[in-house]
Amino acid sequence: MISINTNTASSMAAYNLGSTNVNLQKSLQRLSSGSRINSSIDDAGGLAVSMKLSASIRRTEATQANVNNALSLLQTQDGVLKNAEKIVSRISELTQLATDVTKSTDDLNLYQTEADSLIEQLSVMVDEEFNGVSLFDGTALSVVTSEDGSQAINISDSSDDFDTNIATALANLDISSAVGVATSAITTVTTAIENLATLRATNGSEQQRLTFAADMLSINKVNLESANSRIADVDIASESANLARFNILQQAGTAMLAQANQSQQSVLRLLV
């Protein structure tokens, strides 16, 4: 049947052309944005999963920053302990020099003066801080090391060992008199050195744990990003092929729509 009011071929060609244009616009949007999912209609389920993965990635990044800050705190603490080691070693040297029977009382008093000055510096170190957080205030810190908060590493309380067993223990050190007193002082200083060595060893082990935790967070972040990429990122090669196909279909659809519209003109020959 030949009719004028209804052109089915033209309507179908227009419908196909419209669908092609929609797909072409989606392909252009995906290639220009680099994302396969630009709105919920593209992949509702994939979008939901991608949102969760993206949130996990952000939490992992934040946790990694927190762990690195805690690591910096321990490194600063170790820097203080390293200087304390130099001070205690010098006090140990002065204590040993004070056992020399050839030293006069004036010599011993000079040793005592230097030792007192060094011990005072140790007392100042007890109050050192990192970003407003005391390094030796007696508070144990718990560092969260997983993005879901299920894992943590405790930074031990080192204030008692540093303050009581080192700074305070040396506060009454006396190397200004008899050799017997100086010899007794050697025991005090030796014990302080042992306590300081324990503090540095503890600090080092905690730095290692936090370093391993930071490495694990980096690996987890890479894996999460890889999983999210497979869902949300566009495959450039595949989408480029789609773009070429939709471009060809658009050109063909436009030509066929024009052809369908012209086909009605054949009716005029029947009327002439």
Side-chain angles (χ1 to χ4, degrees):
M1 182 182 70
I2 299 176
S3 64
I4 298 175
N5 291 332
T6 302
N7 189 338
T8 303
S10 176
S11 298
M12 184 58 68
Y15 170 77
N16 290 332
L17 180 58
S19 297
T20 299
N21 284 333
V22 170
N23 289 328
L24 180 61
Q25 294 303 315
K26 285 184 179 181
S27 184
L28 287 170
Q29 187 177 24
R30 288 170 178 171
L31 288 171
S32 62
S33 66
S35 299
R36 186 180 69 86
I37 305 174
N38 292 287
S39 63
S40 59
I41 194 174
D42 292 336
D43 185 351
L47 177 63
V49 175
S50 178
M51 287 178 62
K52 294 178 182 178
L53 289 174
S54 296
S56 294
I57 292 170
R58 296 295 295 273
R59 289 196 302 271
T60 300
E61 291 174 344
T63 304
Q64 190 173 16
N66 292 342
V67 169
N68 287 331
N69 287 337
L71 184 59
S72 295
L73 182 146
L74 284 176
Q75 290 169 344
T76 303
Q77 186 185 76
D78 185 56
V80 175
L81 295 175
K82 184 176 182 180
N83 284 327
E85 177 189 350
K86 295 178 181 178
I87 292 174
V88 176
S89 293
R90 176 56 180 167
I91 294 174
S92 176
E93 181 182 3
L94 293 171
T95 303
Q96 189 65 41
L97 290 171
T99 63
D100 187 354
V101 295
T102 66
K103 294 298 189 299
S104 66
T105 302
D106 290 339
D107 292 334
L108 295 178
N109 286 333
L110 290 174
Y111 289 155
Q112 183 69 55
T113 299
E114 182 179 352
D116 289 342
S117 178
L118 294 173
I119 292 169
E120 183 179 355
Q121 182 60 32
L122 281 177
S123 299
V124 172
M125 288 181 173
V126 174
D127 298 325
E128 288 292 331
E129 295 181 346
F130 175 82
N131 193 35
V133 178
S134 177
L135 298 176
F136 308 101
D137 70 345
T139 302
L141 303 176
S142 181
V143 182
V144 176
T145 57
S146 62
E147 58 91 13
D148 60 358
S150 62
Q151 301 176 22
I153 294 176
N154 292 325
I155 297 178
S156 60
D157 169 21
S158 56
S159 64
D160 288 341
D161 290 332
F162 186 42
D163 188 7
T164 304
N165 297 334
I166 298 176
T168 303
L170 295 174
N172 297 320
L173 189 71
D174 184 5
I175 58 175
S176 63
S177 54
V179 172
V181 174
T183 303
S184 175
I186 291 177
T187 303
T188 301
V189 175
T190 301
T191 301
I193 291 175
E194 291 175 354
N195 290 332
L196 186 58
T198 300
L199 278 179
R200 292 204 67 189
T202 301
N203 178 282
S205 64
E206 291 172 349
Q207 285 194 54
Q208 283 185 331
R209 289 194 65 189
L210 287 178
T211 300
F212 290 140
D215 290 343
M216 183 57 65
L217 286 168
S218 296
I219 293 172
N220 289 343
K221 179 187 173 186
V222 170
N223 291 332
L224 287 170
E225 288 176 338
S226 178
N228 190 43
S229 176
R230 286 191 291 269
I231 296 172
D233 291 346
V234 67
D235 183 340
I236 299 297
S238 175
E239 200 59 46
S240 295
N242 287 336
L243 179 65
R245 179 165 64 89
F246 292 137
N247 269 322
I248 294 172
L249 286 174
Q250 184 191 49
Q251 295 173 26
T254 301
M256 291 304 99
L257 179 60
Q259 185 68 31
N261 289 335
Q262 291 177 1
S263 65
Q264 296 290 63
Q265 295 180 7
S266 62
V267 176
L268 293 176
R269 296 194 184 101
L270 300 175
L271 300 176
V272 175

